[in-house]
Amino acid sequence: MLSRADLEAREARVLAPCATLSRDSRGREYPETESATRTAFQKDRDRVLHTTAFRRLEAKTQVFLNASGDHYRTRLTHTLEVQQVARSVALSLGLNETLAETVALAHDLGHPPFGHAGERVLDGLMAGHGGFDHNTQARRIVSVLEQPKAEYPGLNLTLETLDGLNKHDRANLGQPSLEAQLVDAADALAYTAHDLDDGLRSGLLSHAHLLELPLWAELADQTGISGAILSEGQRRTLHRELLGWLIGDLTAASDAAIVENGVGSAAAVLVLPERLITYSPHLRGLLRETSVFLKGNLYRHWRVEMQVEQASRVLTTLFHAFVQRSSMLPPQFQARTGQEELARVVCDYLAGMTDRYALDMHASIAAPAQHAPHF
């Protein structure tokens, strides 16, 4: 049986010089004995997987409401796709795939119900109270809100995993590790590919319309798929080939950037002026155009905008109801109102809800008491 020391030695022997090694971890905020058979990052990964917040991702919106259909991506399936991409590319580049996997599994824990629409609504409701950002909320969940042990708040993850969740606020922190940079790239890669696929599946996007997009036109040319209407098999082929194209380009361009910069350690990565996990210039341009296209043609589609309105009404009603009558909060949230601002406690409660739970809770407030569901 391999011990933790054996696994750490294997990392040091196999991984690239610029990879983040488990044995070099800066530790945890609250010192604790490490596992005899798992590395520190394996322990982090397992703690994230067993959180309530991770299980709730199954019933949280990606683009289409969770109840819209059985085959659309949810926050959970998106997270697993990000994990797969990050782990695959990390293995190819000789990076620490366990750290990349851990950050990928935790990166969307802070998303509220109703996708980005829910995030915008909560941010507006929390104006004057610090706002709301799903990346900051993910850090809050693993550092404060999830509490499997009484000895300390949160999951007590390693500082490397926590730093990987600092996606935007990096003042005085330098560049993220290559593993964290990879998760950022894998996140954008996964949602670009699967949102195009879900857009086609839903009928909100058409193949003919997508052919006006340079990325899609080049993909269609690569696969030899032409015509205005796609078969089910052709749609699947295009999605598969798009993933392969993006992953291959990301891997090759990142490898070239790492070699060109000559980084010889994980510490050297942190002080570089630019990130090393990147695409080729050609694909970067295509992806920028694709992002603009998706925003205008899918994320702002009138059918999706109806979901935005629903999210606004549900979350706004619930927020004001709980702020005005905090006694309706569950006991564990009521207990925190003496130590934290009420608006933040309410926001934490709402952000943790699934789409379904938020809709049911809203209905229970609006409906006659005799029809209210039990919670």
Side-chain angles (χ1 to χ4, degrees):
M1 184 176 71
L2 296 178
S3 67
R4 173 168 54 86
D6 294 328
L7 296 173
E8 291 173 344
R10 183 166 66 183
E11 281 185 359
R13 186 172 65 252
V14 172
L15 297 185
C18 53
T20 306
L21 299 181
S22 301
R23 72 181 186 188
D24 295 336
S25 171
R26 304 193 310 276
R28 307 173 189 274
E29 182 177 358
Y30 302 95
E32 61 177 84
T33 302
E34 292 297 335
S35 168
T37 56
R38 293 176 297 165
T39 67
F41 300 148
Q42 286 177 311
K43 194 173 182 179
D44 281 359
R45 177 200 59 199
D46 297 345
R47 286 182 173 180
V48 170
L49 273 171
H50 289 285
T51 59
T52 302
F54 184 80
R55 293 193 294 276
R56 287 175 179 160
L57 295 177
E58 178 185 11
K60 289 192 175 189
T61 290
Q62 178 65 24
V63 173
F64 298 94
L65 280 182
N66 186 242
S68 300
D70 293 336
H71 299 141
Y72 298 124
R73 271 72 173 190
T74 65
R75 278 289 159 200
L76 179 60
T77 60
H78 165 70
T79 294
L80 294 177
E81 291 184 32
V82 175
Q83 175 206 28
Q84 179 267 318
V85 172
R87 187 176 178 87
S88 296
V89 179
L91 283 166
S92 296
L93 295 177
L95 302 180
N96 193 316
E97 68 271 18
T98 307
L99 176 57
E101 178 183 29
T102 303
V103 175
L105 290 173
H107 86 284
D108 263 1
L109 291 180
H111 262 291
F114 311 121
H116 288 291
E119 180 167 12
R120 290 196 298 272
V121 172
L122 281 183
D123 188 42
L125 291 168
M126 290 297 291
H129 305 282
F132 178 85
D133 171 76
H134 79 268
N135 295 300
T136 303
Q137 190 70 8
R139 279 288 303 261
R140 184 167 170 79
I141 286 170
V142 300
S143 300
V144 178
L145 300 180
E146 290 276 350
Q147 193 163 352
K149 293 187 176 183
E151 294 90 334
Y152 46 73
L155 305 180
N156 200 28
L157 302 179
T158 62
L159 299 181
E160 288 73 22
T161 295
L162 292 176
D163 183 66
L165 297 178
N166 274 331
K167 190 170 183 179
H168 300 302
D169 184 14
R170 301 203 57 83
N172 302 317
L173 292 177
Q175 296 289 0
S177 67
L178 290 180
E179 290 82 2
Q181 293 181 35
L182 176 53
V183 172
D184 279 354
D187 183 25
L189 187 158
Y191 70 64
T192 297
H194 66 50
D195 287 356
L196 287 167
D197 187 52
D198 278 350
L200 282 169
R201 186 192 295 273
S202 68
L204 271 60
L205 299 177
S206 69
H207 181 52
H209 191 193
L210 281 173
L211 286 173
E212 300 171 8
L213 180 65
L215 175 84
W216 197 260
E218 191 168 329
L219 176 67
D221 186 59
Q222 290 175 15
T223 58
I225 294 176
S226 59
I229 300 176
L230 294 176
S231 68
E232 182 74 6
Q234 287 174 323
R235 182 186 58 76
R236 288 197 298 266
T237 296
L238 285 164
H239 179 247
R240 182 180 67 247
E241 293 302 316
L242 177 59
L243 278 174
W245 179 21
L246 296 179
I247 291 171
D249 187 277
L250 179 67
T251 305
S254 298
D255 181 58
I258 291 169
V259 171
E260 181 181 345
N261 281 271
V263 287
S265 68
V269 172
L270 309 183
V271 297
L272 291 173
E274 296 181 349
R275 296 190 177 197
L276 299 182
I277 302 299
T278 186
Y279 290 98
S280 65
H282 174 63
L283 205 42
R284 282 202 300 271
L286 293 178
L287 288 170
R288 281 194 296 270
E289 294 173 324
T290 302
S291 177
V292 173
F293 177 90
L294 285 171
K295 184 174 294 184
N297 294 278
L298 182 62
Y299 306 146
R300 300 298 187 190
H301 191 283
W302 68 269
R303 280 171 53 188
V304 176
E305 285 294 319
M306 291 180 68
Q307 297 175 185
V308 174
E309 178 62 22
Q310 184 178 35
S312 179
R313 294 188 181 203
V314 169
L315 292 177
T316 300
T317 299
L318 291 177
F319 181 85
H320 291 304
F322 288 121
V323 167
Q324 292 168 11
R325 192 183 295 274
S326 62
S327 58
M328 292 194 301
L329 289 167
Q332 67 270 31
F333 287 90
Q334 288 190 43
R336 289 177 36 219
T337 59
Q339 293 81 42
E340 298 183 76
E341 187 182 16
L342 176 58
R344 181 59 61 186
V345 175
V346 171
C347 182
D348 287 339
Y349 183 41
L350 296 181
M353 291 181 177
T354 62
D355 296 7
R356 180 177 56 250
Y357 189 88
L359 290 168
D360 287 348
M361 179 66 75
H362 182 263
S364 74
I365 291 176
Q370 63 266 29
H371 299 302
H374 297 290
F375 294 95

